[in-house]
């Protein structure tokens, strides 16, 4: 008997028919003799619909009340799924974040999990019930409802897997697993049987929407065996774990793009120590995540700092910079939302010189201009025009996988 | 400075425009220097929509999971109202049943409040915040979400008023107050300035949908001053309290009808002691509320028992009786859903002989046949054909109020 945590995304539970398909997967796992704890997202467009309702009333609503509102999406999901599983004749119970002791910090709309108590979940599993847990939500020390931010249900699932000591954490999505590239952009992309946490991390943060970044980090920290698979096909998925079984022939695992980013350029900053520190602590206090950063060489006692943020943070970031213009002391600010980030990811990258050159060469041959470059141990990212992005992904897939 | 509990029903918060109208009422009360605790129902048809979603998946869903689902309706309401009040620039916080310590028993879908802790509400009021509480819901000793049944938000409001020692509990509805009769049926009906708890109780239980029965009982037990008023007109409403200020000229306070009932007749029961006891304990165990009861005189060692239940309980009641046919030992069962109950209510009724006669006379003159009669200290009810019901209400209003 194994303890399995399963997570199903919003599209997997979008309507009654899909709910029953997922209920079948869950009860099959249960009937095979496993203990099953399931994390669900809100149905289909529920979260977007709720956000729209809130916008109509108050576009500047507090994050606390947004969390209160959005948490309903997952609560409705688990209740409806419980009813479907009851209909199939299996014992089941649904639980919200506060009921499973999903304790988070007080950072509404982007809370981080501090501790999962999960006594209640254990009790229910011991009583042979299938346990459904509302993803994406938690409760802070004041007893207020928090949410973990978009994609937080993956994190809920991995956190539960850690707390319960689960044997496997299955993340069901609408794709078969992790691909070398987005199959909608590159039809030749193929599914990977295995991938390491680090590779997955880079792919996730690069905009491959399969798994939420924080969930992979958490899985890596606690060595939780993850499986990414489809709730539609029933095919085996991709296993995410410490070291892949065999060394892949190619050094590149996957290619990803992220079109939902924007580039900020702060021009004419003073070329003195502490400028970058001041800038990025202002942004950190404003809870704005910065991704790529470039600082130009100083010239005429001035320098420029260029960085990228997620689309959703553009307005907040611009306001914040404006409000701090005097302290930061820059000449002007330039915002470019017409950019995309394209990345190649692979654990073997460091050991193979020339990967970067091969990447830049391919882009050059297609006359794709590179605005920024950023590298890590397992990935190389370039910032290019959004219009070039799909083409870049295709040419890179050709370069590395053909 | 007074502490005021206000309750707004689903139609008062049905859309953004209405939400802002209610937000204005709330913030006006707050600005007048009062502490304000507000109970909200789910928006408009939300509860019905959720029930429909559940029906599609599993018409026999457990009550526990139904409660989990339905509780979302009120949670969405309070979050959206909080956003509207934030927009108006006032400090506000929304709280669910489990957050305010609305402790109930474990009877899902019809839970009774056992204790209201409300430390959190007090804290928030002390911090000068407007407090919004999700009506209709609570939490049981297992930490599960419960609901109080339809109309339960009134009960939530009165229970909070009791626990907080509020000076006034205002129940906002879509009517101006308590009327002598349903103005949609009898245009001449007029609004009452005051009414006693007992009169209100009878009116509520008789199907006048203004106030939920249990909330009035609770208000009576703890002597909570209630006001029923409209969120649309801003007119003064009807005060419900122990003794009305002036003795009304008429002995009748109001006339009510309830069309959502059905009559059960159990024919050919044994004429031995304990038959009624057995029957009604079976129904009580099945959580079926019985209203009017008639037992025929024994004849040929047999008797009949006739009683009424709410429409929603007809199927459950019929199944339950069928399942216990052998124990109860009756010949056959007759169910009539084409009936309605019409009642006249008034505190002075007992002291004035002839009220009943006057009622029956008026019905007789209209050839309206009476199937059952039931009386209490403050009301006389008759069961008649549903088709006669509106006509009966009109003729009785004429008889007692013209």
């Amino acid at each position: 008997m194994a303890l399995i945590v399963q997570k199903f995304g919003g599209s997997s539970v979008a309507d009654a028919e899909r709910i029953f398909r997922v209920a079948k997967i869950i009860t099959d796992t249960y009937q095979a003799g496993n203990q099953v704890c399931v994390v669900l997202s809100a149905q289909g467009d529920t979260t977007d619909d709720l956000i729209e309702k809130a916008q109509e009333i108050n576009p500047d609503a507090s994050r606390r009340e947004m969390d209160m509102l959005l948490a309903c999406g997952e609560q409705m999901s688990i209740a409806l799924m419980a009813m479907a599983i009851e209909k199939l004749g299996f014992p089941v119970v649904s639980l919200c974040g506060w009921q499973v002791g999903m304790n988070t910090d007080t950072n509404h709309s982007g809370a981080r999990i501090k501790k999962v108590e999960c006594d209640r979940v254990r009790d229910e599993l011991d009583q042979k019930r299938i346990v459904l847990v509302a993803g994406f939500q938690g409760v802070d020390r004041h007893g207020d409802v928090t949410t973990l931010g978009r994609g937080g249900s993956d994190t809920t699932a991995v956190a539960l897997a850690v707390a319960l000591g689960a044997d496997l954490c299955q993340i069901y999505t609408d794709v078969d697993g992790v691909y070398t590239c987005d199959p909608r952009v590159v039809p030749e992309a193929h599914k990977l049987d295995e991938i390491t946490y680090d590779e997955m991390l880079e792919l996730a943060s690069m905009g491959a929407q399969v798994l939420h970044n924080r969930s992979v980090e958490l899985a890596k920290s606690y060595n939780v065996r993850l499986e990414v698979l489809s709730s539609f096909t029933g095919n085996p998925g991709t296993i995410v774990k410490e070291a892949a079984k065999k060394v892949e022939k190619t050094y590149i695992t996957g290619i990803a793009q992220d079109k939902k980013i924007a580039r900020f350029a702060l021009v004419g900053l003073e070329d003195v120590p502490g400028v970058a520190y001041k800038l990025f602590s202002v942004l950190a206090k404003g809870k704005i995540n910065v991704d790529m950063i470039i600082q130009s060489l100083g010239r005429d006692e001035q320098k420029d700092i260029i960085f990228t943020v997620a689309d959703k943070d553009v307005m907040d970031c611009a306001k914040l910079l404006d409000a701090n213009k005097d302290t930061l002391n820059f000449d002007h600010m330039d915002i470019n939302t017409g950019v995309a980030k394209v990345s190649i990811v692979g654990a073997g990258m460091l050991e193979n010189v020339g990967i970067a050159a091969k990447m830049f060469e391919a882009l050059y041959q297609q006359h794709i201009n590179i605005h920024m470059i950023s590298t890590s141990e397992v990935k190389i990212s370039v910032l290019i025009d959004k219009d070039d992005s799909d083409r870049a992904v295709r040419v890179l897939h050709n370069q590395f996988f053909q």
Side-chain angles (χ1 to χ4, degrees), chain A:
Chain A
M1 185 188 68
L3 199 169
I4 297 177
V5 173
Q6 300 182 321
K7 180 257 168 180
F8 296 89
S11 62
S12 301
V13 295
D15 55 37
E17 190 198 327
R18 291 185 184 191
I19 284 178
F20 275 104
R21 179 160 45 198
V22 168
K24 182 76 169 52
I25 296 175
I26 295 169
T27 53
D28 282 353
T29 312
Y30 177 85
Q31 271 199 305
N34 301 296
Q35 291 188 309
V36 189
C37 176
V38 179
V39 174
L40 297 179
S41 300
Q43 287 187 282
D45 300 325
T46 305
T47 304
D48 290 333
D49 291 347
L50 290 174
I51 289 172
E52 201 177 298
K53 271 194 151 186
Q55 291 277 342
E56 193 192 348
I57 286 177
N58 184 356
D60 297 316
S62 68
R63 291 182 172 192
R64 181 197 184 277
E65 298 300 338
M66 279 305 291
D67 284 0
M68 193 69 152
L69 182 69
L70 296 184
C72 294
E74 282 71 21
Q75 186 171 336
M76 292 189 276
S77 262
I78 54 173
L80 291 171
M81 182 64 75
M83 293 172 192
I85 292 175
E86 284 175 351
K87 175 101 177 171
L88 299 182
F90 292 88
V92 64
V93 65
S94 73
L95 298 170
C96 292
W98 58 273
Q99 290 173 311
V100 299
M102 185 64 63
N103 297 304
T104 73
D105 61 20
T106 62
N107 181 24
H108 286 287
S109 299
R112 298 196 74 94
I113 298 168
K114 299 184 78 164
K115 196 181 170 211
V116 189
E117 278 158 17
C118 79
D119 294 348
R120 177 79 194 262
V121 176
R122 263 185 225 287
D123 281 357
E124 300 288 356
L125 289 174
D126 287 346
Q127 288 176 57
K128 307 279 181 219
R129 294 203 181 97
I130 294 166
V131 179
L132 308 183
V133 175
F136 173 69
Q137 61 181 242
V139 61
D140 70 12
R141 64 171 191 275
H142 306 300
D144 286 340
V145 173
T146 55
T147 67
L148 311 179
R150 285 262 165 165
S153 291
D154 289 350
T155 309
T156 306
V158 177
L160 273 169
V162 171
L164 294 167
D167 301 288
L168 177 63
C169 180
Q170 296 182 311
I171 309 287
Y172 283 85
T173 68
D174 47 8
V175 295
D176 262 344
V178 182
Y179 277 69
T180 52
C181 192
D182 186 343
R184 287 167 302 188
V185 180
V186 181
E188 305 84 11
H190 66 268
K191 197 186 72 187
L192 298 162
D193 292 333
E194 292 188 354
I195 188 173
T196 69
Y197 294 121
D198 284 338
E199 289 169 337
M200 192 64 232
L201 263 179
E202 292 291 358
L203 280 175
S205 61
M206 294 308 117
Q209 298 299 325
V210 187
L211 265 184
H212 196 255
N213 207 340
R214 281 162 58 196
S215 63
V216 184
E217 277 170 19
L218 197 60
K220 186 188 173 196
S221 301
Y222 293 92
N223 205 14
V224 173
R225 194 181 169 89
L226 284 181
E227 183 178 7
V228 178
L229 66 177
S230 164
S231 59
F232 297 92
T233 63
N235 297 338
T238 300
I239 294 280
V240 189
K241 52 179 214 173
E242 200 37 76
K245 211 160 48 192
K246 52 182 180 192
V247 177
E248 300 262 342
K249 284 275 157 41
T250 170
Y251 297 96
I252 304 299
T253 315
I255 294 163
Q257 63 177 332
D258 186 358
K259 293 178 178 174
K260 292 183 179 166
I261 59 169
R263 187 191 66 177
F264 277 73
L266 292 193
V267 181
L269 289 154
E270 260 189 304
D271 189 14
V272 292
V275 169
Y277 160 72
K278 268 195 245 165
L279 169 61
F280 292 109
S281 53
V282 161
L283 296 179
K285 268 183 211 151
K287 311 262 183 221
I288 288 165
N289 276 323
V290 172
D291 182 14
M292 303 170 89
I293 298 173
I294 286 180
Q295 181 179 308
S296 68
L297 287 174
R299 182 171 40 105
D300 300 338
E301 289 175 5
Q302 287 203 324
K303 63 185 173 190
D304 309 334
I305 294 185
I306 304 167
F307 57 89
T308 62
V309 301
D311 266 357
K312 69 174 173 56
D313 288 332
V314 168
M315 285 307 299
D316 285 349
C317 185
K319 278 186 206 162
L320 202 58
L321 292 173
D322 254 344
N324 290 279
K325 191 159 193 275
D326 292 342
T327 329
L328 297 175
N329 198 13
F330 56 89
D331 187 57
H332 67 274
M333 166 167 75
D334 178 69
I335 307 173
N336 184 350
T337 55
V339 294
K341 185 172 64 168
V342 171
S343 313
I344 58 173
V345 174
M349 198 173 285
L350 264 192
E351 293 139 44
N352 191 356
V353 289
I355 294 271
K358 212 169 153 192
M359 178 183 191
F360 302 150
E361 182 197 9
L363 295 175
Y364 164 72
Q365 283 177 347
Q366 290 289 318
H367 306 291
I368 292 169
N369 192 30
I370 299 173
H371 302 305
M372 290 173 83
I373 298 170
S374 162
T375 58
S376 83
E377 295 202 349
V378 294
K379 74 118 207 301
I380 303 169
S381 301
V382 294
L383 195 75
I384 58 176
D385 284 343
K386 203 176 281 183
D387 292 342
D388 291 334
S389 186
D390 284 356
R391 199 155 50 92
V393 168
R394 269 184 235 111
V395 69
L396 291 173
H397 199 271
N398 253 329
Q399 178 77 299
F400 291 103
F401 290 106
Q402 298 303 308

